[in-house]
Amino acid sequence: VWLVTSWLGGFAAGTVGGPLTRRYHGLLIAALQPPLGRTLLVPKFDEVVEYDGRPYPLATNRWRSGVIEPQGYRRIEEFRLEGMAPVWTYACADALVSKKVWMEQGSNTTYVRYRLERASESVKLSIKALVNYRDFHNLTRAGNWRMKIVRVEKGISINAFEGAVPFYVLSPNAAVETSHQWYRAFDLAAETLRGMNHQEDHLHAGTFVVELKPGDSVLMAASIACHCFCRFCWGRIITR
């Protein structure tokens, strides 16, 4: 299990292999009334690398049926920590793609940076943003819940319901298409072992797509603030 924090009471946490196994796992669990009001906003990103005419899923999900699909954990070449930030390296044929996750101190913001470390040609990276809006102790069954998802500069905004705090998934260098599709019945294996409710639904709110050449990187941000990604801010973030 890995964990990074915002120093506000919010955090990001998950498993090294990728599947969500507890209700407390997610890319952005924000402290909306710091240090309290911990709310799951962005459970995860599901990524696919297209390389040399083949798709290589990086994500891993376990479903109510017990099926594990996709099986991105099979492509993990290395996992390490840079300071407190988790870093994965995935092998897709002869290409290597790294992923690093960290939070901005003093801000309800999680960054994920992907970098094409090695390849004989460019790759296309597709990133599905899965979102939610719930107290971090609870679980979501979607029913007919419909969120408001709007294109904004550099990404999408999500308003879960009237009176909810809007939040954003952004990227300074990826194209995005909005979506509104519930992925139902994620199975949280660790909650099963604890005798707790263990099935949850998450909403696919948008897909970000970018082409990467060897050495290129793409940054994703999940936040309750709409970042400008000006030259100064971009330079400060990407050097992490």
Side-chain angles (χ1 to χ4, degrees), residues 8-239:
L8 285 178
F11 62 93
T15 62
V16 172
L20 304 170
T21 63
R22 297 207 63 193
R23 65 191 66 209
Y24 306 108
H25 289 166
L27 276 179
L28 178 59
I29 298 176
L32 298 183
Q33 293 90 40
L36 306 177
R38 295 187 181 101
T39 303
L40 175 67
L41 300 180
V42 181
K44 69 196 307 274
F45 293 154
D46 274 9
E47 315 96 339
V48 177
V49 170
E50 293 185 28
Y51 178 58
D52 194 24
R54 288 188 55 190
Y56 295 90
L58 307 186
T60 301
N61 294 319
R62 179 184 174 93
W63 306 98
R64 175 174 55 196
S65 63
V67 170
I68 298 175
E69 183 64 34
Q71 299 182 4
Y73 70 92
R74 295 179 178 273
R75 296 185 176 84
I76 298 175
E77 183 84 0
E78 180 188 28
F79 175 81
R80 68 184 190 277
L81 293 178
E82 290 186 2
M84 296 298 293
V87 181
W88 293 259
T89 302
Y90 298 90
C92 307
D94 66 338
L96 291 178
V97 179
S98 65
K99 178 174 76 172
K100 179 179 180 179
V101 178
W102 72 96
M103 294 194 81
E104 183 175 343
Q105 295 179 6
S107 172
N108 284 302
T109 302
T110 301
Y111 294 109
V112 184
R113 187 181 69 198
Y114 302 88
R115 178 181 167 87
L116 183 56
E117 302 290 349
R118 183 188 75 199
S120 55
E121 59 186 70
S122 62
V123 308
K124 183 171 81 170
L125 175 64
S126 300
I127 303 165
K128 290 183 177 180
L130 302 185
V131 304
N132 208 314
Y133 196 103
R134 61 143 171 97
D135 180 272
F136 79 141
H137 291 304
N138 298 333
L139 292 177
T140 294
R141 302 307 294 268
N144 296 320
W145 184 8
R146 188 159 189 90
M147 300 189 191
K148 183 178 181 181
I149 302 167
V150 177
R151 283 280 304 272
V152 296
E153 187 177 3
K154 306 297 185 183
I156 57 175
S157 72
I158 302 99
N159 197 324
F161 49 84
E162 187 175 352
V165 174
F167 61 101
Y168 304 86
V169 181
L170 306 167
S171 176
N173 50 352
V176 61
E177 292 292 336
T178 61
S179 179
H180 196 288
Q181 180 183 8
W182 283 100
Y183 286 10
R184 301 177 188 268
F186 286 84
D187 187 68
L188 308 179
E191 302 292 357
T192 306
L193 295 175
R194 298 172 68 232
M196 307 287 286
N197 291 335
H198 54 90
Q199 292 173 16
E200 178 155 42
D201 305 336
H202 298 303
L203 178 67
H204 171 210
T207 301
F208 292 75
V209 179
V210 65
E211 183 174 332
L212 298 176
K213 298 176 182 178
D216 286 350
S217 61
V218 59
L219 185 72
M220 299 287 296
S223 180
I224 65 170
C226 192
H227 292 248
C228 68
F229 288 121
C230 66
R231 181 177 297 181
F232 170 77
C233 294
W234 170 245
R236 176 177 59 85
I237 296 165
I238 200 65
T239 55

